[in-house]
Amino acid sequence: IKQGDLILDYGAGTGQNCFYLKKIGAIPTYFEISIIQMEFFRFRCERRRINIGIIKPYTLLEEGYKFDPIYSIRGTWDVILLSQVLEHIPEPMVLLEYLVNVCLVNGGLILEDTPWQSHDLKSEDLKSWTKEQFEDFMVQQNMKKLTHGVWQKI
């Protein structure tokens, strides 16, 4: 990660990664499905007088809000950070396919940290996948594994 890189922190939680990325000169964008976490992060940014982009996990329709943890993501990034996220997503491969093919620039990186050995995986979809199947899926998405948890779009 270098100065000026556009970075999407998907599942950003408290936003600590975004604060660090901003400090080193990257341009982070925060995304979290928890509205409470998102509002707390917004409060922390305002208090620190730091401008970090926030993507809301819902869209406003005439009939009300529609929760959309995948397609509410609009834009392109050099790096997408998925730290301890995929195990919480109902359809992680749908999310990955969208992020890789729509949101990641050519040559861009996916940094993922997934507890493949954990018995506490919440995603039924992810429970049915092995690490090897995940890696095969990433290759099918034109991603090249550089090292553990680091994938580059080719």
Side-chain angles (χ1 to χ4, degrees), residues 8-24:
L8 172 62
D9 189 358
Y10 187 100
T14 62
Q16 285 305 113
N17 290 331
C18 288
F19 290 128
Y20 174 75
L21 291 166
K22 182 81 170 180
K23 185 176 181 178
I24 64 170

Side-chain angles (χ1 to χ4, degrees), residues 24-118:
I24 64 170
I27 304 167
T29 300
Y30 174 97
F31 180 85
E32 172 60 52
I33 63 171
S34 166
I35 304 299
I36 294 169
Q37 288 274 24
M38 181 186 71
E39 290 302 325
F40 182 61
F41 177 73
R42 182 188 320 276
F43 167 77
R44 293 174 70 202
C45 287
E46 288 173 3
R47 188 167 177 128
R48 295 178 184 196
R49 298 178 188 201
I50 295 174
N51 185 22
I52 295 176
I54 298 173
I55 298 175
K56 296 175 184 165
Y58 53 82
T59 52
L60 181 58
L61 306 172
E62 287 182 21
E63 60 273 8
Y65 291 105
K66 177 186 177 211
F67 178 70
D68 191 351
I70 296 177
Y71 303 108
S72 59
I73 306 292
R74 301 273 190 258
T76 56
W77 289 272
D78 302 308
V79 178
I80 298 176
L81 178 60
L82 299 164
S83 179
Q84 303 282 314
V85 169
L86 293 176
E87 67 273 19
H88 300 284
I89 303 294
E91 296 179 313
M93 300 316 163
V94 173
L95 171 66
L96 276 170
E97 186 174 11
Y98 180 77
L99 291 177
V100 168
N101 294 304
V102 176
C103 300
L104 189 63
V105 300
N106 287 331
L109 299 174
I110 295 256
L111 308 179
E112 63 86 15
D113 179 23
T114 305
W116 290 101
Q117 274 57 43
S118 174

